[in-house]
């Protein structure tokens, strides 16, 4: 590995508060995720459920999709017991509570990641982008040293170098940053494949099918000027900010632009879990911007 | 370093494959499916773009009828619209629960439209078993700001009749979707109607 690459991935070891925030935030979202499954888990996955293992297996066989689903492995396919499924959620909630408070071992963080991955893999046909961001976020975060995440920031202090965080923590933050910016950039790129993101109706199209919403702005966005400007702003932010966030001169603007983008998309689409997780993951960039050493 | 390049390249390929994957893209993703699927790193076909105005994004409703030949809309009762009515979608974390139900119903509607009712029946059957007095189910798409009059009057993408026989489980028979029809038109030799 070249020096510059090594420096990029492993050398930024002087800040941990952003990752601490990401860890606490993702733990709260993980609790939200498990709780949101509580009422329906038996209706979906129990032996007599709509997506019981036998039913899913029969469907995949009939549709000739078995090879696609083979690797979507989860121990939850092995049980249809309602009690076991609910116990799984309870354990997941406990792991999510324990993770931010653990400083001696990575085990709770790794287990929490696996717990989310397994439930996501079991949720064939009903999973969405919220599982995607939660799984990679918790996975990368499990690489970080839990000891480092309990430390106070070294930036701006006269702390000795020996207190700098480990390379695993620096690596974890870089993985989170690269993956998050890649996800948003590719979201912008894939948006360009649909006509609605060119003709200005994209924002209405996102908002239109949502029946129950936390904040209702449907009336406001029926105004053509508003929804067209909003659509163009959404696309520009999604395409430009994930690149701009890597440059010192534009980092602050891109960071806050992306937070606003998450808020706008959450209000429009009502995908609060997904976009809250994304906004939390964006906090991994906070280090090199509010406390820039460059 | 090579692992990192490969890792993020695969993620980029997986995320973009939900739009229109090339055969090369699919072959590469197939090769690395164990890595991507076990860790839930791929998007499992979930498009990232929020909306492309496709019918699958619309709000889907599942309704039931206790009559064998429901004649009006009043004969149909939407399931899961309130806690007192089965409570499929309300309650705790209602928005997230509702989204899961919508993904599920959208898949069934899509199967129904492709006349793969037998596939959809795999998943409707448990609901039919639980609701013994129901004779028909239908999945409809709700009109919204982006739908046209034609969309709003389209026949339901999936309607299924339940045949109940003593001592056996229910059998589900999909009703053939109505086709768009137009009266025959006369075309003269000049080619104009």
């Amino acid at each position: 590995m070249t020096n510059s690459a090594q420096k990029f991935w492993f050398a930024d070891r002087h800040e941990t508060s952003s990752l601490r925030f990401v860890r606490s935030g993702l733990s709260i979202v993980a609790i939200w995720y498990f709780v949101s499954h509580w009422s329906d888990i038996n209706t979906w996955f129990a032996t007599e459920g709509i997506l019981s293992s036998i039913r899913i297996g029969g469907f995949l066989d009939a549709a000739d999709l078995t090879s696609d689903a083979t690797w979507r492995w989860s121990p939850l396919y092995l049980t249809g017991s309602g009690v076991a499924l609910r116990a799984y959620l309870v354990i997941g909630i406990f792991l999510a509570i324990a993770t931010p408070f653990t400083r001696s071992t990575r085990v709770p963080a790794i287990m929490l990641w696996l717990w989310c991955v397994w439930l996501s893999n079991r949720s064939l046909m009903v999973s969405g982008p919220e599982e995607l961001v939660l799984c990679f976020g918790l996975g990368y975060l499990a690489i970080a040293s839990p000891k480092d995440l309990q430390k106070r920031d070294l930036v701006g202090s006269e702390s000795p170098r020996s207190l700098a965080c480990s390379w695993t923590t620096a690596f974890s933050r870089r993985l989170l940053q690269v993956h998050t910016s890649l996800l948003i950039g590719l979201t912008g790129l894939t948006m360009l494949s649909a006509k609605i993101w060119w003709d200005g109706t994209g924002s209405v199209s996102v908002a239109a099918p949502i029946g129950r919403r936390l904040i209702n702005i449907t009336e406001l966005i029926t105004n053509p000027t508003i929804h067209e400007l909003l659509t163009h702003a959404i696309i520009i932010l999604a395409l430009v900010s994930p690149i701009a966030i890597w440059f010192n001169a534009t980092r602050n603007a891109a960071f806050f632009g992306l937070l606003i983008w998450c808020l706008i998309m959450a209000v429009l689409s009502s995908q609060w879990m997904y976009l809250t997780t994304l906004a939390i993951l964006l906090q991994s960039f906070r280090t090199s911007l509010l406390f820039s050493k460059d | 370093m090579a692992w990192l390049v490969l890792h993020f390249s695969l993620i980029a390929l997986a995320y973009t494959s939900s739009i229109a994957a090339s055969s090369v893209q699919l072959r590469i993703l197939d090769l690395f499916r164990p890595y991507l699927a076990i860790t839930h790193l791929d998007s499992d076909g979930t498009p990232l773009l929020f909306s492309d105005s496709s019918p699958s994004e619309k709000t889907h409703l599942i309704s039931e009828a206790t009559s064998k030949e429901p004649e009006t809309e009043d004969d149909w009762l939407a399931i899961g619209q309130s806690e007192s009515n089965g409570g499929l979608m309300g309650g705790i974390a209602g928005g997230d629960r509702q989204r899961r139900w919508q993904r599920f119903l959208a898949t069934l509607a899509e199967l129904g439209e492709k006349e793969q009712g037998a596939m959809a029946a795999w998943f409707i059957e448990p609901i039919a078993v639980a609701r013994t007095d129901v004779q028909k189910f239908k999945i409809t798409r709700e009109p919204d700001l982006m739908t046209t009059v034609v969309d709003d009057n389209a026949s339901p993408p999936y309607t299924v009749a339940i045949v109940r026989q003593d001592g056996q489980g229910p059998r589900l028979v999909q009703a053939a979707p109505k086709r768009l029809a137009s009266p025959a038109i006369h075309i003269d030799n000049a080619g104009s109607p």
Side-chain angles (χ1 to χ4, degrees):
Chain A
M1 195 181 289
T2 61
N3 264 353
S4 56
Q6 204 157 15
K7 209 171 151 191
F8 175 81
W9 288 104
F10 305 110
D12 189 7
R13 300 190 188 184
H14 293 273
E15 200 280 333
T16 54
S17 78
S18 61
L19 275 198
R20 230 179 11 244
F21 183 90
V22 173
R23 187 174 66 165
S24 305
L26 288 189
S27 295
I28 292 168
V29 175
I31 294 171
W32 177 3
Y33 177 60
F34 290 121
V35 167
S36 76
H37 270 285
W38 187 263
S39 313
D40 289 335
I41 196 158
N42 289 346
T43 312
W44 289 123
F45 308 135
T47 312
E48 299 301 322
I50 297 170
L51 301 177
S52 69
S53 305
I54 294 172
R55 209 165 283 285
I56 281 275
F59 169 75
L60 293 172
D61 275 343
D64 199 19
L65 292 170
T66 316
S67 62
D68 289 348
T70 306
W71 294 103
R72 214 158 280 286
W73 191 83
S74 165
L76 290 173
Y77 285 111
L78 305 175
T79 180
S81 150
V83 176
L85 290 169
R86 287 260 164 87
Y88 184 92
L89 297 180
V90 172
I91 294 169
I93 292 167
F94 274 116
L95 287 170
I97 294 168
T99 299
F101 298 104
T102 312
R103 56 176 303 162
S104 54
T105 169
R106 285 186 175 88
V107 172
I110 294 170
M111 289 307 292
L112 177 61
W113 169 61
L114 288 174
W115 237 244
C116 283
V117 167
W118 289 338
L119 185 54
S120 305
N121 279 349
R122 180 65 183 88
S123 304
L124 216 61
M125 289 174 70
V126 291
S127 68
E130 54 271 26
E131 279 91 352
L132 195 69
V133 283
L134 195 57
C135 287
F136 83 71
L138 289 170
Y140 294 145
L141 212 53
I143 296 171
S145 157
K147 257 183 213 162
D148 290 342
L149 299 187
Q150 303 289 341
K151 281 181 193 167
R152 294 182 64 79
D153 284 341
L154 303 181
V155 173
S157 72
E158 296 299 318
S159 313
R161 275 188 70 81
S162 59
L163 286 179
C165 68
S166 65
W167 68 269
T168 53
T169 305
F171 184 48
S172 162
R173 193 171 64 231
R174 279 294 186 227
L175 287 169
L176 285 169
Q177 290 174 335
V178 173
H179 200 134
T180 306
S181 53
L182 185 69
L183 175 87
I184 298 172
L186 289 175
T187 301
L189 270 183
T190 52
M191 279 171 165
L192 294 178
S193 69
K195 195 180 145 211
I196 52 163
W197 292 105
W198 292 94
D199 68 12
T201 56
S203 54
V204 188
S205 184
V206 173
I210 314 300
R212 295 175 190 180
R213 36 178 75 252
L214 204 59
I215 304 165
N216 196 347
I217 52 148
T218 328
E219 298 253 322
L220 182 70
I221 59 164
T222 45
N223 179 321
T225 313
I226 293 178
H227 72 238
E228 286 176 15
L229 281 173
L230 200 56
T231 303
H232 300 319
I234 288 168
I235 279 283
I236 291 167
L237 276 173
L239 288 172
V240 175
S241 302
I243 299 167
I245 205 163
W246 291 98
F247 297 97
N248 293 336
T250 50
R251 201 167 287 160
N252 284 357
F255 174 76
F256 289 111
L258 284 175
L259 287 185
I260 292 167
W261 184 85
C262 286
L263 181 66
I264 291 171
M265 295 313 293
V267 170
L268 288 175
S269 69
S270 281
Q271 297 195 42
W272 288 95
M273 193 189 288
Y274 171 45
L275 289 145
T276 305
T277 313
L278 210 51
I280 290 168
L281 292 172
L282 279 170
Q283 301 303 314
S284 60
F285 280 100
R286 219 176 41 167
T287 150
S288 12
L289 103 152
L290 299 177
F291 307 102
S292 182
K293 305 183 290 292
D294 302 309
Chain B
M1 190 65 183
W3 169 76
L4 285 169
V5 172
L6 180 66
H7 172 78
F8 285 112
S9 304
L10 288 172
I11 283 161
L13 278 181
Y15 286 177
T16 50
S17 67
S18 59
I19 302 298
S22 70
S23 63
V24 173
Q25 205 169 349
L26 287 177
R27 279 206 298 272
I28 295 171
L29 289 175
D30 267 347
L31 187 66
F32 289 95
R33 196 173 297 282
Y35 175 64
L36 293 168
I38 285 179
T39 50
H40 205 84
L41 280 171
D42 63 353
S43 57
D44 190 20
T46 308
L48 297 176
L49 81 176
F50 288 96
S51 173
D52 59 359
S53 206
S54 64
S56 63
E57 292 164 12
K58 304 298 165 203
T59 302
H60 290 75
L61 281 185
I62 181 165
S63 310
E64 60 187 19
T66 47
S67 137
K68 280 193 176 171
E69 292 302 328
E71 285 169 8
T72 65
E73 277 305 305
D74 293 338
D75 295 332
W76 292 96
L77 186 65
I79 307 175
Q81 289 304 290
S82 68
E83 283 298 289
S84 59
N85 185 19
L88 286 184
M89 297 171 195
I92 196 165
D96 304 299
R97 294 178 60 208
Q98 189 178 30
R99 200 157 295 112
R100 287 184 197 114
W101 280 100
Q102 285 303 319
R103 287 174 195 137
F104 171 69
L105 294 178
T107 308
L108 296 194
E110 216 171 301
L111 288 170
E113 271 176 334
K114 291 177 182 166
E115 295 187 30
Q116 293 180 324
M119 303 282 182
W122 276 98
F123 304 111
I124 290 286
E125 198 193 340
I127 307 176
V129 169
R131 294 169 181 262
T132 47
D133 54 339
V134 174
Q135 302 297 326
K136 273 190 172 176
F137 285 107
K138 72 171 179 180
I139 295 174
T140 48
R141 294 191 177 112
E142 288 287 273
D144 62 40
L145 288 171
M146 295 294 281
T147 52
T148 63
V149 178
V150 176
D151 297 330
D152 297 348
N153 290 304
S155 61
Y158 183 61
T159 306
V160 67
I162 298 146
V163 181
R164 297 182 191 274
Q165 292 160 327
D166 289 338
Q168 290 176 12
R171 207 159 54 81
L172 280 71
V173 183
Q174 185 184 3
K178 283 180 194 155
R179 303 282 178 212
L180 282 177
S182 59
I185 49 170
H186 169 72
I187 299 176
D188 63 23
N189 290 339
S192 59

